Amino acid sequence: MDIAILGAGAMGSLFGGLLAEAGHRVTLVDIDDAHLDAIRRDGLHLTTDAGARVVSALHGCRPEQATAAPELLIVFTKTMHTETALTSARALLGEHTAVLSLQNGLGNVERIARHVPRERVMAGMTTWPADKPGAAQVSSHGSGEIRLMNADGELHAHVRRAVDALNSAGLNCVADPNVWSAIWEKVAFNAALNSLCALTQCTVGELSNVPDGEALTLKIVAEVATVAHASGIAFDEAHVVDNVRFALANHRAHRPSMLQDVLAGRKTEIEAINGAVVEAARAEGVSAPCTETLLHLVRLVDARASR
Ligand code: NAD
């Protein structure tokens, strides 16, 4: 399959590398010239539980240099860069191009649907993790899954093609009519852990150093559950609470991406996570006071970020 990845950082490079290894023709599209140059020169250094190797069958270009429209475009920029990326990579959006977002947060489909008809936009959620320790280097350990569905809820041929391509790369993908539940449940997990770690600079495990930390994470999960239910989304609160408790106990040293962004002086994805939950809460006339307070506090931290 002809596949382009828009935003080839940690996740985009992982997916691009695995899809290229599976025999697909993959183009990584990014504005990080050092990363693209190093991949062109030496290949992508990919480390997973299957071992460390170099993937050399990858093409790469900047968004404005893209010329050919792929069959599948996977968007993996941070959420606040989606629209700029899609605008400058207009040549990637052909008449038959299907676009998939596996980004965290809410509003991804709406942002993409400003550029591509909704019938060709797929919403998704992934639990695969990835890190990018340096240019042309990506690592991912442990297992994960992908759930996706077309934004209009229809199981179009391009949805099956995307699922098959992702499974051929070992990415454990299913077409799931309940994808919105999976997306909201991950948003709740991130709203609780990411924003608290970003503000306090605690690792995930350090949030349970005092009882108030865990209590606050569970309060946020409960708020997001209320907003999800008010928005008509089936939301399994007990499942999210289990996941949060598991992370507090077992991913003790983990620094969530929002904390990594703060430490690196970058803006966070707070608007697509807590911000979108608060917006949905207002629209449905329910309140989410802890989620909203964290939103305002992370906005203050973000205002100091240089990029
Ligand atoms: P990242 O910062 O490593 O990668 C984002 C890439 O987008 C960067 O390489 C950046 O240069 C590129 N970019 C920025 N502006 C661009 C533009 N205008 N045009 C083209 N490229 C542009 O981020 P990531 O960790 O790979 O996360 C990507 C998305 O996936 C986020 O929404 C994140 O929340 C989500 N996610 C991440 C993980 C993870 O473990 N890293 C897991 C699941 C979901």
Side-chain angles (χ1 to χ4, degrees):
M1 199 173 186
D2 224 333
I3 300 171
I5 314 268
L6 185 58
M11 291 297 281
S13 296
L14 172 69
F15 275 53
L18 293 173
L19 286 162
E21 277 190 323
H24 300 283
R25 189 189 141 82
V26 178
T27 305
L28 302 180
V29 184
D30 205 290
I31 53 172
D32 183 344
D33 291 320
H35 184 53
L36 292 179
D37 287 347
I39 290 173
R40 279 191 213 104
R41 197 178 54 239
D42 305 321
L44 176 72
H45 294 249
L46 174 61
T47 306
T48 66
D49 292 346
R53 65 272 195 195
V54 175
V55 185
S56 45
L58 279 166
H59 307 267
C61 68
R62 291 182 62 90
E64 64 277 9
Q65 291 169 337
T67 49
E71 183 178 348
L72 173 65
L73 176 67
I74 306 178
V75 180
F76 257 139
T77 61
K78 291 276 174 69
T79 47
M80 57 283 199
H81 299 136
T82 302
E83 296 240 40
T84 313
L86 284 172
T87 303
S88 50
R90 213 168 291 132
L92 290 173
L93 305 175
E95 231 171 83
H96 303 293
T97 305
V99 184
L100 166 65
S101 167
L102 294 173
Q103 297 155 293
N104 280 328
L106 300 173
N108 295 309
V109 161
E110 289 72 14
R111 280 183 278 276
I112 294 170
R114 287 185 203 123
H115 302 259
V116 185
R118 219 177 154 83
E119 306 84 72
R120 285 191 276 119
V121 181
M122 290 176 275
M125 185 286 304
T126 182
T127 54
W128 286 102
D131 282 310
K132 181 174 161 259
Q137 293 173 35
V138 64
S139 66
S140 178
H141 294 286
S143 60
E145 61 162 355
I146 303 168
R147 302 184 163 272
L148 61 84
M149 186 43 72
N150 211 68
D152 61 10
E154 297 290 325
L155 193 58
H156 297 285
H158 62 252
V159 177
R160 295 177 202 270
R161 298 259 305 149
V163 169
D164 288 347
L166 291 161
N167 279 327
S168 72
L171 283 161
N172 194 14
C173 178
V174 289
D176 180 0
N178 298 320
V179 69
W180 292 107
S181 299
I183 290 172
W184 271 83
E185 287 170 11
K186 192 165 186 207
V187 163
F189 180 93
N190 286 335
L193 297 184
N194 276 30
S195 51
L196 272 177
C197 290
L199 276 174
T200 59
Q201 306 209 349
C202 283
T203 63
V204 168
E206 285 168 348
L207 290 180
S208 51
N209 282 354
V210 293
D212 322 34
E214 178 168 339
L216 195 46
T217 61
L218 300 185
K219 228 182 233 177
I220 294 163
V221 171
E223 287 183 4
V224 180
T226 302
V227 181
H229 288 140
S231 307
I233 305 288
F235 185 104
D236 185 347
E237 186 178 341
H239 174 65
V240 182
V241 167
D242 284 350
N243 284 347
V244 167
R245 288 208 167 112
F246 183 86
L248 292 175
N250 297 287
H251 299 161
R252 293 198 58 81
H254 178 60
R255 288 198 168 100
S257 60
M258 224 181 255
L259 172 55
Q260 292 180 33
D261 287 337
V262 169
L263 294 174
R266 293 184 299 254
K267 292 202 188 301
T268 69
E269 291 186 295
I270 194 72
E271 297 300 339
I273 300 175
N274 296 49
V277 171
V278 168
E279 203 178 307
R282 286 197 189 127
E284 300 302 332
V286 295
S287 70
C290 295
T291 311
E292 183 160 4
T293 303
L294 286 170
L295 168 67
H296 296 318
L297 292 172
V298 176
R299 274 183 183 158
L300 279 172
V301 175
D302 263 7
R304 279 201 314 239
S306 54
R307 53 204 170 104

